[in-house]
Amino acid sequence: MGVTIRQIAEAAGVSRGTVDRALNNRGRIRPEVAERIRRIAKDMGYRPNQLGRALSMSKNNIKIGVILQSAETPFMKEVLKGVEEAREEVDSLGGTVLVCKIPHISQSDTLSAMEFMREEGVSAIAMVPMDEKEVKERINLFVEEYHIPVLTFNSDVKDTRRLCFVGQNAFQCGRAAAGLMGELTGGKGQVAVISGYRANTSLSDRVLGFQTEIGKKYPGVQVLGPEYCYEENPKARQITEELLKTYPDLKGIYLTSHGEEGVCTALKNCGKAGKIKMIANDFMGKNYQLLKEGSIHFLIGQDARIQGYEPVMILFRLLFRGEEPERELQYTEIYIRNEYTIPEV
Amino acid sequence: MGVTIRQIAEAAGVSRGTVDRALNNRGRIRPEVAERIRRIAKDMGYRPNQLGRALSMSKNNIKIGVILQSAETPFMKEVLKGVEEAREEVDSLGGTVLVCKIPHISQSDTLSAMEFMREEGVSAIAMVPMDEKEVKERINLFVEEYHIPVLTFNSDVKDTRRLCFVGQNAFQCGRAAAGLMGELTGGKGQVAVISGYRANTSLSDRVLGFQTEIGKKYPGVQVLGPEYCYEENPKARQITEELLKTYPDLKGIYLTSHGEEGVCTALKNCGKAGKIKMIANDFMGKNYQLLKEGSIHFLIGQDARIQGYEPVMILFRLLFRGEEPERELQYTEIYIRNEYTIPEV
DNA sequence: CTGAAAGCGCTTACAG
DNA sequence: CTGAAAGCGCTTACAG
C-alpha cells in the first residue's frame, strides 16, 4: 500500500487538510508551505488513492449526460452497450450517467434532449450531433454560457467549441478499402461503389477516400458509381443486378454501408458470389455470415462498444480528476477482418 | 446515489454489521433475520458501493505477482506497458502488483521467481510459462497446495491446473495469413514460409495454420518451407536470396516472426519488393515502416498492451470481487493491418 | 447471534 | 492561512 496523506502530514508537521490544499492547489495556503509539502510528497512517492478520493467526493455526485441518435440501428445498439458499461463503472465510482435515446434523427429532439440534460443538472454531455446550424449554436451556448463541456461522438461537427470528437476517420476508412480492393483485383479492372445516403458525411467521406486512393495507387482500376441504396436490401440488389448487366466484367464492389444481403443475393443469383471481390463495412447484420461463406472478402469496421464507452469515460476523467482529453480528434481504430479473424461470441 | 447499507439497517431495525453479515453470507446471524434483511435490500434495490467496499478492504492488501520471460524483446516491452497500466489501476484501488522480469528464457529463473512471489505473499500469479515438466509441476503445486491461482499469458502450458490463458490463438493467426495470401496471389503460384525457431510452439502453430488452410482453401498455391531464420536479419536475407534463386517465380512470402528487414533487403536488391506479396507478424521493429513503403502488404498482429493488462485485471477481479474469468482460453484479437490502418502515435 | 465502534484515504465545511 | 472534526459506504475485530 502506498504513502497516504496522513503520512505526509506527519512528515511535514501539518494537518491532513493542509496537505490536501497543497497537493490539489486549492489555495488558502502559504506558498512556501505548499511548496514544501509538494516536495515531501514527491520524495515519499505519494500517489493519491482513487478510492478515498472517489468515496469522499461521491457526495458531489458527478452527473454525465449521453445523447444518442438513430438509437434503433444495430450499430447504435452496440454503442449503447459501451455506454452502459461505462455507466456501471462511473456508478461504482459514485457518479451518475443519464442516457437519452433518440430513435431516429431529429433536430428538435436533439435540442430538447440537451435542454433536459441541463435541467437535470449534468456536468458534461456526450452526444451524437447533427450538422445543423441550430444544434451547433446550442453546443456553443452550452460550452460558453453554461460551462457544460460537450463531447461529440460517432459523427462530428466542425467549427464548434465541442471538447473533442471520438469516432472513425471515414476518409481513411475508404482508403483502407481501396488498398484492399487494389490488392484483391491485382490492380486492374472495373470496381463499383455502392453507398447508403448521399447526404451522410461519414459515408461520402468513405467514398471519397476510396476514390482518391484508388486513383492514386491503382490507376489501372476504374471506379464506377457511387450508386445509393439507402441501406435497403431490395434497392442494393437492384443496383447490383444492373451493374452486372452493364458491366459484365465487373471485378469488385465496395459497399460503404448496409445492404449486404441485397448485393450478395444478386451476386449469388448469377453465380458470381466469391468471384467478384466484395468489401463491406461494419460488423453488423449478416456481414459476418457472408464473410464466413465467402461472399464478402473483407470487412472494415470499428469497435462500436468503444465508441460508447470512451466518450463517457473521457468526460468522467475530466470531471473527476481534471484530466483533459489527450487529443481533439480521437479516431477509433479501423479494423480489417477476413473470415479467420471473426471474434468469438 | 444508491441505497446504502445504513438505510437498510434503519429499515430493518438492525445494525449495519448485521446487514453486512446477511448480505454477504458471513454466518453468525439468525437465518430468519438474514432472510428478512435480504428481502428488504432487494426491495430497496440495494447495489453495494464498490468504493466503500474497496476502501475498507484495502487493509487486506491484495497482492498480485507477474512473471515475464524474454522481457528484453520489443514485444514483451509493450506487454510490460500493459502490466504497468494495470498496476496503476490496481494500485489506485488499494492493491499491489509485483513484477519479475526475466531477461531471456530460463527455467531456473522462472522457478525461483515463483518461489520469490510466494515468499512475498502474493495471492495470485500471472506468468509467461515454459513448456517444461518442472515448471508445470510447480504450477500445479502452487494451485493445489498453496492455493495460489496461476494464470498463463502469451504462451500456454497444457495439462496443468492453471486458471486460464490469455494470448493469441497461433493456429488461427496462421490461417488468417493463409486467407490473405490466397487472395493476394489470386490462388495460385509458389509461396514460401520463413519462421523463427523450430521449437517455439507459437511459431510452429502459425506455420501449421498457414499450411493447413492454404491446402484446404487454395489448392492452387504451393507452400515451400518453412525455413528458419532465428529472428536474425542476415539469416532471413540469406534464406530469401536462396529462395529467389531456386524459385524465380515465387509469388509470396509469409514471415511468422521477426527478420523482416533481412527479407525486404533481399527483395529490394533484386527489384522484387512490392511485387512478391509479403505478409509479416507483429507491429514491432521495422514492420510499420516496411508496410508504409509497400514492401510488406499485410501485417498480422496482436494488441501487446492488452496481453499485459488483462491478466493482471482478471486476477484482480477474481481476488477482489470473486469474479471467475469468463473463459479458460481468452484469445486476444487477431488484427490485420494494411498501410492505411496504422494507428497514430 | 447481534451491536457499537473504529478504520480504510480522502475531502470539506467550519472555526479560528 | 491552518487545524480539528465529520463524513463518504463498507468491513471487521471486539464485546456481550
Side-chain angles (χ1 to χ4, degrees):
Chain A
M1 293 261 314
V3 181
T4 72
I5 217 171
R6 156 170 267 137
Q7 292 170 40
I8 296 173
E10 280 164 14
V14 298
S15 76
R16 296 189 282 156
T18 304
V19 174
D20 179 63
R21 285 189 283 270
L23 263 30
N24 296 293
N25 307 304
R26 296 192 209 282
R28 300 186 306 140
I29 185 173
R30 214 155 13 115
E32 313 89 82
V33 179
E35 187 42 50
R36 192 168 63 87
I37 293 177
R38 279 194 285 266
R39 253 252 70 78
I40 294 176
K42 184 149 189 217
D43 290 347
M44 295 175 71
Y46 174 69
R47 298 248 327 266
N49 180 316
Q50 299 299 327
L51 289 180
R53 181 126 213 269
L55 187 57
S56 121
M57 286 186 32
S58 59
K59 281 169 284 193
N60 305 356
N61 195 9
I62 287 171
K63 203 167 185 176
I64 294 170
V66 178
I67 303 173
L68 287 176
Q69 310 247 20
S70 324
E72 299 295 320
T73 63
F75 185 82
M76 277 302 172
K77 281 186 183 162
E78 274 297 309
V79 172
L80 186 61
K81 283 187 197 164
V83 171
E84 290 300 335
E85 230 174 280
R87 186 228 284 271
E88 291 203 5
E89 197 164 329
V90 168
D91 229 69
S92 82
L93 267 63
T96 314
V97 176
L98 203 63
V99 182
C100 216
K101 289 173 259 185
I102 301 174
H104 301 290
I105 297 186
S106 152
Q107 170 166 337
S108 61
D109 287 358
T110 306
L111 293 174
S112 50
M114 289 177 76
E115 215 44 55
F116 170 72
M117 295 281 172
R118 191 169 71 87
E119 283 159 16
E120 286 289 327
V122 303
S123 321
I125 292 176
M127 68 185 289
V128 181
M130 311 181 58
D131 203 2
E132 301 287 350
K133 186 156 162 285
E134 272 197 69
V135 175
K136 289 171 159 192
E137 284 173 0
R138 193 67 63 95
I139 290 176
N140 286 339
L141 181 71
F142 269 56
V143 176
E144 284 160 10
E145 293 300 316
Y146 308 150
H147 301 289
I148 298 177
V150 175
L151 173 158
T152 56
F153 67 103
N154 192 255
S155 61
D156 197 16
V157 283
K158 313 279 176 205
D159 310 318
T160 62
R161 305 228 17 217
R162 55 118 179 81
L163 178 71
C164 67
F165 165 70
V166 177
Q168 192 180 54
N169 181 339
F171 187 81
Q172 190 66 12
C173 171
R175 294 180 74 200
L180 293 171
M181 191 59 93
E183 294 300 329
L184 284 176
T185 57
K188 47 186 182 288
Q190 296 169 317
V191 305
V193 177
I194 302 177
S195 192
Y197 303 91
R198 201 181 304 264
N200 180 309
T201 53
S202 302
L203 298 185
S204 54
D205 279 354
R206 286 181 189 171
V207 173
L208 201 62
F210 186 82
Q211 292 169 328
T212 308
E213 197 59 26
I214 288 280
K216 203 158 89 188
K217 193 157 171 212
Y218 303 97
V221 174
Q222 183 195 349
V223 181
L224 310 168
E227 303 282 336
Y228 297 94
C229 72
Y230 310 103
E231 305 205 332
E232 283 162 18
N233 286 315
K235 182 67 182 160
R237 177 175 170 177
Q238 184 204 328
I239 291 173
T240 310
E241 283 165 351
E242 280 169 22
L243 281 169
L244 292 173
K245 219 175 291 168
T246 320
Y247 306 96
D249 213 31
L250 192 70
K251 289 282 184 291
I253 294 177
Y254 173 45
L255 181 66
T256 69
S257 184
H258 284 282
E260 61 269 12
E261 280 185 87
V263 174
C264 290
T265 304
L267 291 178
K268 282 173 196 166
N269 286 347
C270 70
K272 293 211 168 172
K275 305 246 170 61
I276 290 191
K277 306 300 180 181
M278 177 161 173
I279 298 172
N281 272 277
D282 289 340
F283 307 129
M284 310 280 143
K286 294 273 186 221
N287 269 333
Y288 275 144
Q289 192 183 315
L290 294 166
L291 185 64
K292 263 188 208 155
E293 68 181 48
S295 305
I296 293 180
H297 294 75
F298 284 107
L299 283 179
I300 301 181
Q302 40 191 337
D303 189 337
R305 222 201 90 265
I306 277 282
Q307 230 177 80
Y309 179 84
E310 270 301 311
V312 178
M313 295 312 290
I314 287 172
L315 292 180
F316 183 72
R317 288 191 289 264
L318 175 72
L319 298 172
F320 182 64
R321 286 196 275 258
E323 284 177 23
E324 295 287 331
E326 288 181 20
R327 295 188 259 271
E328 195 194 327
L329 296 174
Q330 309 230 10
Y331 289 129
T332 50
E333 279 208 56
I334 298 170
Y335 292 109
I336 297 174
R337 294 201 173 136
N338 65 7
E339 64 168 303
Y340 306 102
T341 60
I342 300 175
E344 307 166 343
V345 178
Chain B
M1 293 261 313
V3 181
T4 72
I5 217 171
R6 156 170 267 134
Q7 292 170 40
I8 296 173
E10 280 165 13
V14 298
S15 76
R16 296 189 280 155
T18 304
V19 174
D20 178 64
R21 284 189 284 268
L23 263 31
N24 296 294
N25 306 305
R26 295 192 210 282
R28 299 187 305 142
I29 186 173
R30 214 155 15 115
E32 313 88 82
V33 179
E35 188 41 51
R36 192 168 64 87
I37 293 177
R38 279 195 285 266
R39 253 254 65 80
I40 295 176
K42 185 149 188 218
D43 289 347
M44 295 175 73
Y46 174 69
R47 296 245 327 265
N49 179 314
Q50 299 298 328
L51 289 181
R53 177 128 214 271
L55 187 57
S56 121
M57 286 187 29
S58 60
K59 278 170 284 192
N60 304 358
N61 194 9
I62 288 172
K63 203 168 185 176
I64 294 170
V66 177
I67 303 174
L68 287 175
Q69 310 247 21
S70 324
E72 299 294 321
T73 62
F75 185 81
M76 278 301 172
K77 281 186 183 161
E78 274 298 308
V79 171
L80 187 62
K81 283 187 196 163
V83 171
E84 289 300 336
E85 231 173 276
R87 186 229 284 270
E88 291 204 6
E89 198 163 328
V90 168
D91 229 70
S92 83
L93 266 63
T96 314
V97 177
L98 202 65
V99 182
C100 215
K101 289 173 256 184
I102 301 174
H104 302 291
I105 296 187
S106 151
Q107 169 166 336
S108 61
D109 286 359
T110 306
L111 292 175
S112 49
M114 289 177 77
E115 215 43 53
F116 170 72
M117 294 282 171
R118 189 168 72 87
E119 282 159 18
E120 286 288 327
V122 302
S123 322
I125 293 177
M127 68 185 290
V128 180
M130 310 181 59
D131 203 1
E132 301 287 349
K133 186 156 162 282
E134 272 197 68
V135 174
K136 290 172 159 190
E137 284 172 0
R138 194 65 65 95
I139 290 176
N140 286 340
L141 181 71
F142 269 55
V143 176
E144 285 160 10
E145 293 301 315
Y146 308 149
H147 301 289
I148 298 177
V150 175
L151 174 158
T152 55
F153 67 103
N154 191 255
S155 60
D156 195 15
V157 282
K158 312 280 174 203
D159 308 318
T160 61
R161 304 230 17 216
R162 56 117 179 82
L163 179 71
C164 67
F165 164 70
V166 177
Q168 193 179 53
N169 181 339
F171 187 81
Q172 190 65 11
C173 172
R175 293 180 75 200
L180 294 171
M181 189 60 92
E183 294 300 329
L184 285 175
T185 56
K188 48 186 181 289
Q190 296 168 316
V191 306
V193 176
I194 303 178
S195 192
Y197 303 91
R198 199 181 305 264
N200 181 309
T201 54
S202 301
L203 299 184
S204 54
D205 279 354
R206 286 182 189 170
V207 172
L208 201 62
F210 186 81
Q211 292 169 328
T212 307
E213 197 59 25
I214 288 280
K216 202 158 90 189
K217 192 155 170 212
Y218 302 98
V221 173
Q222 183 196 350
V223 181
L224 311 168
E227 303 280 338
Y228 297 93
C229 73
Y230 309 102
E231 304 204 333
E232 283 164 16
N233 286 315
K235 181 67 183 161
R237 177 175 171 180
Q238 183 204 327
I239 290 173
T240 311
E241 283 164 352
E242 281 168 22
L243 281 169
L244 292 171
K245 220 174 291 166
T246 320
Y247 306 97
D249 212 31
L250 192 72
K251 289 281 184 290
I253 294 176
Y254 173 44
L255 181 65
T256 69
S257 182
H258 284 282
E260 62 270 14
E261 279 186 88
V263 174
C264 290
T265 304
L267 291 178
K268 282 174 195 164
N269 286 348
C270 67
K272 294 210 167 172
K275 305 246 168 60
I276 289 190
K277 306 300 180 180
M278 179 162 170
I279 299 171
N281 272 278
D282 288 340
F283 307 129
M284 309 279 144
K286 294 274 187 220
N287 269 333
Y288 274 144
Q289 192 183 316
L290 294 166
L291 185 66
K292 262 189 209 155
E293 69 180 49
S295 306
I296 292 179
H297 293 75
F298 284 107
L299 282 180
I300 300 180
Q302 41 191 337
D303 189 336
R305 222 200 90 265
I306 278 282
Q307 229 176 79
Y309 180 83
E310 271 300 312
V312 178
M313 295 311 289
I314 287 173
L315 291 181
F316 183 72
R317 288 192 288 264
L318 175 72
L319 297 172
F320 182 63
R321 284 197 276 258
E323 283 177 24
E324 295 288 330
E326 289 181 21
R327 294 189 259 272
E328 194 193 326
L329 295 174
Q330 309 230 9
Y331 289 129
T332 51
E333 278 209 55
I334 298 171
Y335 292 109
I336 296 173
R337 293 201 173 135
N338 66 6
E339 67 168 302
Y340 306 102
T341 59
I342 299 175
E344 307 167 341
V345 174

